[in-house]
């Protein structure tokens, strides 16, 4: 089997296995998220997509939740992650800590231009559909102003994926509709694309981009050179012709995939919008019917007795006048005045259920200000509550999404020469030697427990000291201090253990020297005070001897 056919067959099999999920995703788009790309239907450009939406509670809940998550984990106004050496002794060295901090700052500066938009789109897909892929790859700088690394959010429905033996995604194929004038630049395209590029440049062609492990496909090693030796194969295939356009590779799997609620046996997760979909559909239908009832209330239909209108016309205009034969029986309302209480009750229940699914109440409670300033304890308590609710979800998000983003960005920048020369502890390290610590509010809330335990232990020592003064010698104060600084992400402000020992040695030596000098100075002063007395005694002794 040739490579292009292998990729096409793999794509079709994976897509067919996901057909039921695609139908659910299209329902979510039709009823909750109209601004997302369609999955199972094709619309004309600019066609209206919100014709089924009569209530925006679910859309609002998704927006609040997604924006809160983005602001908590990838806030461009914060340094939302830090790099640390896995060896604690190496990490405490100023050269290592300084390089880690400098590399982090360089990565954040690069991300500021092209990262947060696509990453936010990936989080939107994650919150809605449960899956948010983000492609991260180095790109050649073809013109001034282009960044060296491109971040691309892949909408749901435009890609398929599969897990490897370790349960992580290692196969990814996306299908794109690319205009002919862009497709012709990809590589060895068919004559159809070449002709269209000249005559119909905006005509779109479906192109597959597959990212698969090399061991999944047959390769001729004698023909492989350069990027084709890399562990992950990158192949571009013209779908209609089954033609391989170009092939290259990646050093690492280049897709960071945010997944919400994982289902055993499926590479695709489920999002909160799927949980909110039944209530959203019910609320949309109820509001649609309520609009009809509202219209009846504002412009009620009437019953008119035959031949009761003198002018044959019922004038409903403001200030209109209708002449009737019998004012009591001529005209009557078709329906009695409606009771809105049942609708308001049911609609309120559905709206509350939707907002609970997206944790809107907890988020707004965290952001609310019942008084001018909340204490640190109150803020930490609210953060801790939200962290307990979302903790497992954020654990998956950090391990599969954020860690991949940092690792891929750092790897690409290192190979492109965009980082400073690393110290020996990092340059000579084997494999992955750096850990990523996240500094967002929810990440800090996860570590608040350790800080509170340390602080409480210190308070206990202070309470025991009046009864047993020697208790202050039991804790390792240096280790405790370093642990606190590490939890807060400020350990780079501390000097290393070796430097600390050297400083301590210098202080002890200086203290001993000062003490010796004081002793010598004290002896000299005593001799100075006793010198006149010794002189007198010496004169007396000399006189006696002369006599």
């Amino acid at each position: 089997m040739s490579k292009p056919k292998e990729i096409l067959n793999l794509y079709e099999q994976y897509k067919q296995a996901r057909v039921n999920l695609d139908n659910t995703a299209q329902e979510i788009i039709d009823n909750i998220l109209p601004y997302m790309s369609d999955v199972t239907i094709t619309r004309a450009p600019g066609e209206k997509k919100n014709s089924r939406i009569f209530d925006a509670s679910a859309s609002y809940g998704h927006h609040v939740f997604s924006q809160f998550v983005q602001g908590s984990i990838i806030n461009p106004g914060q340094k939302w992650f830090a790099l640390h050496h896995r060896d604690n002794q190496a990490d405490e060295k100023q050269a290592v800590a300084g390089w880690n901090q400098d590399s982090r700052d360089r990565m954040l500066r690069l991300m500021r231009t092209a990262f947060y938009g696509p990453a936010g789109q990936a989080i939107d897909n994650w919150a809605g559909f449960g899956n948010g892929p983000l492609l991260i790859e180095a790109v050649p700088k073809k013109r001034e102003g282009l960044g060296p690394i491109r971040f691309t959010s892949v909408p749901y429905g435009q890609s398929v994926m599969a897990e490897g033996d370790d349960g992580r995604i290692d196969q990814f194929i996306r299908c794109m509709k690319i205009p002919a004038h862009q497709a012709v630049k990809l590589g060895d395209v068919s004559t159809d694309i070449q002709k269209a590029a000249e005559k119909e440049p905006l005509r779109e062609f479906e192109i597959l981009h597959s990212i698969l492990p090399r061991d999944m496909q047959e390769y001729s090693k004698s023909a492989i050179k350069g990027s084709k030796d890399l562990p992950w194969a990158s192949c571009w295939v013209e779908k209609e012709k089954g033609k391989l356009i170009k092939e290259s590779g990646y050093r690492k799997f280049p897709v960071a995939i945010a997944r919400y609620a994982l289902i055993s046996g499926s590479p695709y997760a489920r999002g909160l919008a799927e949980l909110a979909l039944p209530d959203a559909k019910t609320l949309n239908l109820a509001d649609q019917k309520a609009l009809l009832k509202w219209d009846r209330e504002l412009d009620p239909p009437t019953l008119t007795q035959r031949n009761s209108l003198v002018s044959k016309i019922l004038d409903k205009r403001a200030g209109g006048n209708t002449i009737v034969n019998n004012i009591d029986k001529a005209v009557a309302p078709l329906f009695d005045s409606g009771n809105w209480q049942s609708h308001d009750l049911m609609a309120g229940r559905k709206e509350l259920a939707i907002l609970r699914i997206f944790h809107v109440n907890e988020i707004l409670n965290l952001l609310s200000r019942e008084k001018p300033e909340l204490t640190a304890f109150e803020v930490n308590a609210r953060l801790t509550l939200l962290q307990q609710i979302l903790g497992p979800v954020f654990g998956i998000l950090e391990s599969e999404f954020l860690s991949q983003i940092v690792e891929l960005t750092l790897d690409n920048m290192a190979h492109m020469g965009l980082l400073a020369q690393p110290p020996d502890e990092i340059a000579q390290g084997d494999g992955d030697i750096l850990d990523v610590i996240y500094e967002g509010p929810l990440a800090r809330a996860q570590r608040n427990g350790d800080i509170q335990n340390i602080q409480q232990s210190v308070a206990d020592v202070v309470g025991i000291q009046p009864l047993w003064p020697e208790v202050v010698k039991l804790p390792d104060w240096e280790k405790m201090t370093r642990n606190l600084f590490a939890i807060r992400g400020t350990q780079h402000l501390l000097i290393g253990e070796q430097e600390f020992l050297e400083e301590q040695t210098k202080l002890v030596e200086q203290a001993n020297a000062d003490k010796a000098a004081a002793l010598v100075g004290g002896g000299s002063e005593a001799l100075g005070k006793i010198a006149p007395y010794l002189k007198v005694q010496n004169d007396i002794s000399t006189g006696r001897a002369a006599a």
Side-chain angles (χ1 to χ4, degrees):
M1 181 183 295
S2 64
K3 191 187 307 178
K5 286 186 177 180
E6 179 183 340
I7 294 173
L8 287 170
N9 290 336
L10 199 61
Y11 173 77
E12 293 298 336
Q13 291 177 25
Y14 286 158
K15 185 178 180 181
Q16 183 61 33
R18 203 195 55 199
V19 63
N20 291 329
L21 295 179
D22 288 350
N23 293 332
T24 301
Q26 188 62 53
E27 279 196 274
I28 292 173
I29 294 168
D30 293 338
N31 291 276
I32 301 177
L33 306 175
Y35 47 84
M36 295 293 188
S37 300
D38 287 310
V39 178
T40 61
I41 63 176
T42 302
R43 305 178 197 260
E47 183 179 347
K48 185 178 180 180
K49 296 179 62 176
N50 59 354
S51 57
R52 296 187 185 179
I53 299 178
F54 293 87
D55 183 274
S57 297
S59 302
Y60 169 73
H62 172 269
H63 174 75
V64 171
F65 179 73
S66 177
Q67 294 298 310
F68 174 76
V69 172
Q70 294 178 46
S72 298
I73 65 174
I74 53 172
N75 193 326
Q78 298 175 345
K79 296 182 178 181
W80 49 271
F81 70 93
L83 300 175
H84 296 280
H85 199 289
R86 289 185 177 177
D87 185 343
N88 292 333
Q89 292 184 350
D91 192 49
E92 291 171 357
K93 295 182 179 180
Q94 284 191 334
V96 175
W99 185 88
N100 286 337
Q101 185 178 7
D102 177 71
S103 299
R104 185 270 312 273
D105 293 343
R106 294 186 184 213
M107 292 170 65
L108 290 175
R109 283 196 298 269
L110 183 144
M111 289 178 170
R112 191 175 297 125
T113 58
F115 167 73
Y116 293 102
Q121 295 168 15
I123 295 297
D124 284 341
N125 283 297
W126 168 80
F129 307 112
N131 306 277
L134 184 68
L135 177 63
I136 305 166
E137 54 188 346
V139 294
K141 191 171 183 180
K142 297 181 179 180
R143 60 179 173 83
E144 195 65 28
L146 291 180
I149 298 178
R150 179 170 57 205
F151 302 89
T152 306
S153 174
V154 181
Y156 181 86
Q158 296 184 13
S159 64
V160 296
M161 57 189 182
E163 295 177 340
D165 296 336
D166 58 355
R168 298 175 72 99
I169 301 298
D170 67 351
Q171 302 174 43
F172 190 84
I173 306 175
R174 59 174 175 154
C175 181
M176 300 166 287
K177 291 184 178 180
I178 302 179
H181 69 93
Q182 294 181 359
V184 74
K185 301 177 183 178
L186 292 176
D188 184 19
V189 297
S190 66
T191 55
D192 290 350
I193 295 181
Q194 295 176 15
K195 292 178 180 179
E198 298 177 359
K199 299 179 180 180
E200 302 175 274
L202 297 182
R203 178 184 170 189
E204 294 181 334
F205 291 85
E206 286 190 319
I207 306 295
L208 297 183
H209 178 206
S210 72
I211 304 170
L212 304 171
R214 291 271 180 205
D215 56 6
M216 287 193 62
Q217 302 180 21
E218 295 294 333
Y219 287 86
S220 173
K221 287 295 182 182
S222 59
I224 295 176
K225 295 180 180 180
S227 61
K228 295 183 180 181
D229 288 319
L230 297 176
W232 299 93
S234 171
C235 297
W236 295 74
V237 178
E238 191 176 337
K239 186 178 180 183
E240 182 179 355
K241 299 293 184 180
K243 177 179 175 56
L244 180 64
I245 298 176
K246 69 174 181 179
E247 177 186 348
S248 59
Y250 299 101
R251 290 179 301 275
K252 297 177 178 289
F253 185 66
V255 186
I257 302 176
R259 294 191 288 176
Y260 191 85
L262 295 175
I263 307 298
S264 178
S266 173
Y268 301 98
R270 307 294 177 87
L272 291 178
E274 185 172 346
L275 293 177
L277 181 60
D279 288 325
K281 292 172 66 176
T282 302
L283 198 53
N284 283 330
L285 183 59
D287 278 8
Q288 183 181 13
K289 293 183 176 181
L291 288 176
L292 178 60
K293 186 175 182 179
W294 190 12
D295 189 32
R296 289 172 178 169
E297 293 283 339
L298 296 176
D299 188 12
T302 56
L303 287 173
T304 305
Q305 188 176 14
R306 181 182 297 178
N307 299 325
S308 63
L309 303 180
V310 175
S311 62
K312 307 296 184 182
I313 297 175
L314 178 62
D315 191 349
K316 290 188 175 183
R317 296 176 301 173
N321 185 30
T322 302
I323 302 175
V324 298
N325 293 322
N326 187 336
I327 195 170
D328 295 324
K329 298 181 179 180
V331 180
L334 178 61
F335 301 106
D336 294 332
S337 180
N339 179 9
W340 289 87
Q341 185 176 1
S342 58
H343 169 268
D344 292 343
L345 179 62
M346 290 301 297
R349 289 177 55 187
K350 294 297 181 182
E351 180 179 350
L352 182 60
I354 291 172
L355 297 182
R356 282 177 174 173
I357 289 173
F358 288 106
H359 308 292
V360 172
N361 294 332
E362 292 87 350
I363 293 172
L364 296 183
N365 183 48
L366 176 65
L367 302 177
S368 65
R369 290 289 184 269
E370 298 91 352
K371 51 186 178 180
E373 291 295 337
L374 294 176
T375 64
F377 177 79
E378 290 173 324
V379 173
N380 285 334
R382 294 183 179 189
L383 277 172
T384 301
L385 174 62
L386 195 58
Q387 186 272 327
Q388 290 174 347
I389 297 173
L390 300 176
V393 173
F394 273 87
I396 300 174
L397 195 63
E398 288 180 358
S399 63
E400 293 194 350
F401 187 64
L402 298 179
S403 294
Q404 280 288 98
I405 290 173
V406 175
E407 179 181 349
L408 290 168
T409 305
L410 184 66
D411 178 75
N412 284 319
M413 291 182 67
H415 282 84
M416 299 173 74
L418 300 178
L419 300 178
Q421 182 65 29
D424 293 340
E425 291 82 358
I426 294 178
Q428 299 176 2
D430 295 329
D432 296 330
I433 59 174
L434 296 178
D435 285 328
V436 182
I437 305 298
Y438 301 99
E439 304 296 342
L442 287 180
R444 287 196 297 270
Q446 291 176 329
R447 302 194 293 271
N448 277 342
D450 294 337
I451 295 175
Q452 292 174 1
N453 290 337
I454 294 175
Q455 293 174 340
Q456 186 59 49
S457 298
V458 173
D460 293 340
V461 170
V462 173
I464 297 173
Q465 185 181 12
L467 303 176
W468 182 31
E470 299 298 320
V471 70
V472 296
K473 299 180 180 179
L474 290 179
D476 188 338
W477 296 104
E478 179 189 353
K479 184 176 181 180
M480 188 180 299
T481 302
R482 292 187 182 280
N483 194 16
L484 276 173
F485 273 68
I487 293 174
R488 295 192 183 277
T490 56
Q491 73 278 7
H492 63 278
L493 301 177
L494 299 176
I495 61 175
E497 287 188 7
Q498 186 63 33
E499 295 169 292
F500 178 72
L501 291 176
E502 292 175 357
E503 289 293 330
Q504 289 293 100
T505 302
K506 290 180 181 179
L507 290 175
V508 171
E509 291 176 351
Q510 184 63 39
N512 290 337
D514 293 344
K515 186 176 181 181
L519 290 174
V520 172
S524 301
E525 182 181 359
L527 289 173
K529 290 180 178 180
I530 202 173
Y533 173 77
L534 293 176
K535 185 177 184 300
V536 171
Q537 291 296 323
N538 185 49
D539 291 344
I540 294 174
S541 299
T542 303
R544 287 178 179 175

